Amino acid sequence: MGNQEDQVYIDRINKGDPASYAFLVNRYKDMAFTIALRIMRNNEDAEDVAQEGFVKAYQQLYRFEGKSKFSTWLYTIIYRTAITKLQKRGVPAFSVDDDTSAYLNYGETAPQLSAMHAQEQTKFVKQAIAKLPEIDGLLITLFYMNENTVKEIEEITGLSASNIKVRLFRARKILEGELRFLL
Amino acid sequence: MEDDKGKILRKLIQAAGPEKTDVDFTSSVMRSIQIETEVEFAKEVRLKSIISDIQPESAPPLFQRNIMAKVIPAKKMETEPIISHKVWYMIAAAALLILMFCFVSQPDAPSNEVPYPFSNLNSTVYNFSDQIWVLPVIYPAVVFIFGLLVMTDYFLRQQKSGLFSSNR
């Protein structure tokens, strides 16, 4: 249903009603920003990337054929915009160090579960995801938060299905360690 | 298949939800789009203005002729002799007929002595000339009419075959 609704607005935009794009921006801005944040690691850059991604998507909207979901297509643009921006700065897009043990804080004492409100819980989960390598954090976000399929994640990131599954597994293990007191 | 931990993890992550953008995020995006659209429109107007000032290229001198030559195939100039072979054959046949008549029929006057050599040939020629004058007029008239008819038939056939070839 969401896809059909998106297509209605896309058709309107292609027929010369740019104001209809605001609907799509409102709908997908949070996830787009989150994806950008996973890669860029700071809010300002993430907002710039997300905005730039939306503008690019608008300019290329006539190319959208509807073969995939609009969100998948949009997130692909956001992702590539973020990667390109990182590369322009000379920052490697992927963490060189694959050793993720540094992210495991086994030494820290777990916070008191009973004292943790829902908001704090949310904050803790987000912090845990933010600690993951950029791509792993993105994969967790897309797979668990946005419920994208592996195929859709393949389309967005360009990674192979096997690579995605391995990374998801690894990231999940890390998160399970980080959030053990919640599981 | 996810285990219990995986399911709980999924629920936790979904409960955490995506990051929130600023309040004016959408308006910033729409503003950027509007600016981009105006810039693109101005570029397009400028480009149109530049292109419209440019004169089209001139075609080469023989361009039109070359095109028309490919479009309309040239008609073959069929040259025909003024007097066709058939007519020549008919004239030859008529002359032969007349000659044969002259040789076959008896001469009225004896041949005279001729001081030239080949007296037989001369007598024949003289006999021929005599015979020509004594030929009944009906013979040359028939030959003439026959020749005329044959020629008319020939020209009519030519006309007919010419119509067929033009209709193809």
Side-chain angles (χ1 to χ4, degrees):
Chain A
M1 193 66 183
N3 294 339
Q4 291 177 0
E5 201 177 1
D6 287 349
Q7 195 58 50
V8 168
Y9 284 96
I10 290 166
D11 291 340
R12 280 190 204 170
I13 295 161
N14 285 333
K15 283 177 186 173
D17 177 23
S20 295
Y21 194 59
F23 167 82
L24 295 172
V25 174
N26 270 330
R27 191 174 215 187
Y28 297 111
K29 64 181 180 183
D30 290 339
M31 186 50 69
F33 175 68
T34 305
I35 289 169
L37 188 61
R38 293 285 176 261
I39 306 293
M40 303 308 293
R41 300 286 203 183
N42 72 78
N43 284 349
E44 280 177 9
D45 289 343
E47 194 169 329
D48 287 343
V49 164
Q51 286 196 8
E52 195 178 325
F54 270 111
V55 173
K56 280 186 184 174
Y58 175 81
Q59 289 169 342
Q60 295 173 30
L61 201 58
Y62 66 95
R63 287 190 190 176
F64 178 66
E65 295 173 0
K67 291 178 184 173
S68 61
K69 289 192 286 188
F70 172 75
S71 59
T72 306
W73 184 76
L74 171 68
Y75 298 155
T76 307
I77 294 173
I78 303 287
Y79 172 79
R80 287 178 186 171
T81 305
I83 296 294
T84 304
K85 204 154 189 133
L86 273 184
Q87 286 172 346
K88 278 183 182 173
R89 289 181 187 174
V91 177
F94 299 90
S95 295
V96 176
D97 184 12
D98 276 343
D99 180 15
T100 54
S101 60
Y103 297 98
L104 297 172
N105 299 319
Y106 292 126
E108 288 183 10
T109 52
Q112 292 296 321
L113 187 62
S114 58
M116 194 176 275
H117 298 289
Q119 270 187 350
E120 284 178 350
Q121 195 175 0
T122 299
K123 187 179 167 186
F124 204 73
V125 170
K126 286 184 178 180
Q127 280 176 351
I129 295 173
K131 283 182 185 176
L132 292 170
E134 292 91 343
I135 300 301
D136 292 0
L138 174 66
L139 295 180
I140 289 287
T141 302
L142 291 173
F143 188 76
Y144 286 105
M145 203 180 284
N146 204 41
E147 295 189 311
N148 287 110
T149 61
V150 171
K151 197 168 170 16
E152 287 170 343
I153 298 173
E154 260 187 285
E155 199 180 318
I156 292 168
T157 61
L159 298 170
S160 66
S162 55
N163 197 355
I164 290 166
K165 287 176 185 172
V166 164
R167 283 177 173 266
L168 273 173
F169 179 80
R170 198 169 61 187
R172 207 187 91 182
K173 287 297 166 197
I174 295 168
L175 283 179
E176 282 174 4
E178 285 283 308
L179 305 172
R180 60 193 179 282
F181 53 93
L182 294 174
L183 297 174
Chain B
M1 204 156 144
E2 281 185 71
D3 53 4
D4 290 337
K5 271 190 183 176
K7 286 179 186 173
I8 295 169
L9 183 65
R10 179 183 282 274
K11 281 184 184 171
L12 278 172
I13 293 171
Q14 286 181 351
E19 305 290 335
K20 295 292 177 192
T21 57
D22 286 342
V23 175
D24 59 348
F25 182 87
T26 304
S27 54
S28 296
V29 170
M30 296 308 290
R31 219 168 21 246
S32 301
I33 287 170
Q34 192 181 353
I35 291 167
E36 284 285 329
T37 308
E38 285 170 5
V39 166
E40 288 299 317
F41 180 73
K43 278 186 193 173
E44 196 185 336
V45 166
R46 178 77 190 121
L47 188 66
K48 271 185 185 173
S49 163
I50 290 168
I51 292 171
S52 65
D53 287 342
I54 297 172
Q55 295 298 320
E57 299 289 336
S58 303
L62 301 177
F63 183 78
Q64 185 169 349
R65 200 177 81 173
N66 292 339
I67 295 290
M68 296 313 291
K70 285 175 187 173
V71 169
I72 300 170
K75 286 184 183 176
K76 282 185 184 176
M77 295 290 290
E78 291 181 7
T79 55
E80 288 182 4
I82 295 171
I83 302 173
S84 67
H85 291 117
K86 282 189 183 177
V87 173
W88 282 116
Y89 287 136
M90 284 190 293
I91 293 169
L96 196 64
L97 271 173
I98 295 169
L99 265 174
M100 277 174 65
F101 175 79
C102 294
F103 282 119
V104 164
S105 64
Q106 294 293 322
D108 291 338
S111 58
N112 295 324
E113 281 191 19
V114 180
Y116 302 102
F118 305 108
S119 56
N120 283 336
L121 180 62
N122 283 330
S123 65
T124 308
V125 168
Y126 276 117
N127 286 339
F128 177 73
S129 60
D130 289 340
Q131 292 295 334
I132 285 286
W133 291 112
V134 302
L135 261 182
V137 71
I138 190 72
Y139 289 151
V142 165
V143 168
F144 176 74
I145 290 168
F146 182 71
L148 201 64
L149 283 172
V150 171
M151 280 180 67
T152 308
D153 177 64
Y154 173 76
F155 284 125
L156 284 173
R157 283 173 190 273
Q158 284 296 318
Q159 232 176 8
K160 217 177 182 183
S161 64
L163 272 174
F164 277 130
S165 62
S166 66
N167 283 343
R168 278 181 204 157

